[in-house]
Amino acid sequence: MLVKEYRICMPLTVEEYNIGQLYTISRHSLEASGAGEGVQILSNVPQLHPLHGMGRFTEKRIHLGSKVPQWARMFVPQMLYVTEKAWNWYPYTETEYSCSFLPRFSIRIQTRFENNAGTNDQVFEDACPKDAICKLDIVFDDIPERYYKSSEDLRQFRSVKTGRGPFTEGWRETQMPIMCSYKMVAVSFEVYGFQTRVEQWVHKNIRDILLIGHRQAFAWIDEWIGMSIDDVRDFEKKLMKETNVKIMTPEISGQDSLPSTGGSPRPILARSTSVQESRPTDPGETDIQGRLRTKERSLSGQ
């Protein structure tokens, strides 16, 4: 298991971030879906917790698709999907990811939001060592070039409605308001010969997703600032229906995907598809799949 703590500061209050996060996740899910792929929302309902109080439970099905690294495609099916279960008792949340095809793979994320600049070292009971703490800078940290958008470059962006931005070096020391999203992320892939490589790859993708998602949340601030929690819940319901319709839309014959609306596809932890695609079987691939199953049976018997 590889555990890291991520700290992502935002030029917002914790109360503002709650609205912005819900808005961004809903819009992002819609934009990342289409032609039978994307994030399918199975459930989004209220849930009462004896300690944290009233919150919400969501369950999503998301397919890896082209996000699976080339070296892993030889032994996973193209209809591979990950199940996301999330419990939101804001300002504390828990999220779990699992995969039925890979029972020894899991991701668990604990998140707490606080009004500070990432200076609290006592957020979680089991603190990470200092070399496992990653302080992400949504303004200056590099993101994959294919996901760059000038409209989301916070070195240039200025919010019309709040007057916040653009930001310069050292902004986390001077910006008010400021809050921090603390995330304890545990990635586990207990398969001999693949564990280290897979766990490192997953953390690399989580880092990119956190950076891009938080940049978007602030770059879209003028669209969601001023919304109430009821407003954003109505927005969630509307986009949930639209997203699920897009996922069920069949792929256009002779094309790999629907026409692009401009820019690069958004990074998603997984991509949904409801129909398994057929592909020729490679003898070498069959051999690798067989060896992986043998390893799994051997490990299961230990």
Side-chain angles (χ1 to χ4, degrees):
M1 180 182 293
L2 183 58
V3 181
K4 294 186 179 183
E5 180 186 325
Y6 297 90
R7 300 182 186 181
I8 312 102
C9 289
M10 295 284 284
L12 304 168
T13 65
V14 168
E15 293 72 27
E16 289 172 337
Y17 182 89
N18 189 23
I19 303 297
Q21 173 187 231
L22 296 172
Y23 176 94
T24 302
I25 291 172
S26 297
R27 176 176 162 182
H28 178 82
S29 295
L30 179 65
E31 292 186 355
S33 302
E37 294 189 349
V39 181
Q40 183 180 8
I41 302 154
L42 304 178
S43 179
N44 186 345
V45 296
Q47 188 175 86
L48 181 65
H49 187 276
L51 177 62
H52 302 295
M54 182 59 70
R56 293 191 78 84
F57 169 76
T58 59
E59 182 174 355
K60 301 176 184 178
R61 181 173 293 178
I62 43 185
H63 281 249
L64 292 175
S66 62
K67 300 302 178 183
V68 178
Q70 190 66 40
W71 54 266
R73 294 178 190 177
M74 62 183 73
F75 61 85
V76 296
Q78 289 196 1
M79 205 182 78
L80 179 68
Y81 66 84
V82 171
T83 298
E84 175 196 282
K85 294 183 179 180
W87 295 264
N88 186 346
W89 303 291
Y90 201 81
Y92 175 74
T93 68
E94 293 182 6
T95 309
E96 295 178 355
Y97 296 92
S98 61
C99 178
S100 58
F101 181 76
L102 299 169
R104 293 179 177 271
F105 168 76
S106 66
I107 303 173
R108 183 170 186 265
I109 304 175
Q110 300 176 71
T111 306
R112 189 170 293 279
F113 308 97
E114 295 188 353
N115 282 315
N116 57 53
T119 54
N120 187 353
D121 294 325
Q122 307 297 324
V123 173
F124 303 106
E125 290 184 7
D126 299 321
C128 275
K130 288 187 177 181
D131 60 356
I133 297 175
C134 307
K135 297 181 179 181
L136 304 185
D137 186 338
I138 63 170
V139 179
F140 290 98
D141 281 358
D142 292 332
I143 62 172
E145 186 176 353
R146 65 187 179 278
Y147 299 126
Y148 174 81
K149 275 190 168 186
S150 58
S151 61
E152 296 170 3
D153 188 335
L154 304 187
R155 297 169 297 182
Q156 305 171 17
F157 172 80
R158 180 177 179 83
S159 165
V160 174
K161 292 185 178 180
T162 68
R164 301 173 202 171
F167 301 100
T168 58
E169 288 281 3
W171 68 275
R172 287 174 291 186
E173 283 73 48
T174 59
Q175 169 64 31
M176 289 299 291
I178 193 165
M179 56 81 62
C180 183
S181 171
Y182 294 84
K183 292 182 176 289
M184 181 79 76
V185 182
V187 178
S188 178
F189 187 69
E190 297 178 354
V191 176
Y192 179 75
F194 295 96
Q195 180 170 3
T196 299
R197 190 174 189 178
V198 170
E199 291 176 355
Q200 290 177 344
W201 174 78
V202 171
H203 269 287
K204 178 184 180 301
N205 277 269
I206 287 173
R207 175 196 175 276
D208 290 344
I209 290 167
L210 291 175
L211 277 173
I212 296 166
H214 283 79
R215 284 165 64 108
Q216 288 176 343
F218 187 75
W220 297 346
I221 188 173
D222 287 343
E223 299 174 27
W224 57 259
I225 195 73
M227 293 177 76
S228 67
I229 190 67
D230 291 335
D231 292 335
V232 80
R233 290 300 181 194
D234 289 340
F235 180 79
E236 270 189 319
K237 292 177 184 176
K238 176 178 179 293
L239 264 64
M240 180 175 71
K241 293 178 182 178
E242 294 179 16
T243 300
N244 286 345
V245 168
K246 287 184 70 177
I247 292 169
M248 299 306 294
T249 302
E251 194 169 286
I252 298 175
S253 178
Q255 294 186 10
D256 292 332
S257 63
L258 291 177
S260 172
T261 56
S264 300
R266 287 309 192 189
I268 52 178
L269 186 61
R271 307 180 65 164
S272 292
T273 178
S274 57
V275 180
Q276 184 169 3
E277 301 172 12
S278 61
R279 58 173 177 167
T281 302
D282 177 52
E285 175 177 334
T286 303
D287 178 61
I288 291 173
Q289 288 175 327
R291 285 189 282 121
L292 183 65
R293 294 191 193 100
T294 300
K295 283 183 179 180
E296 283 286 347
R297 286 195 295 269
S298 176
L299 288 168
S300 297
Q302 293 179 3

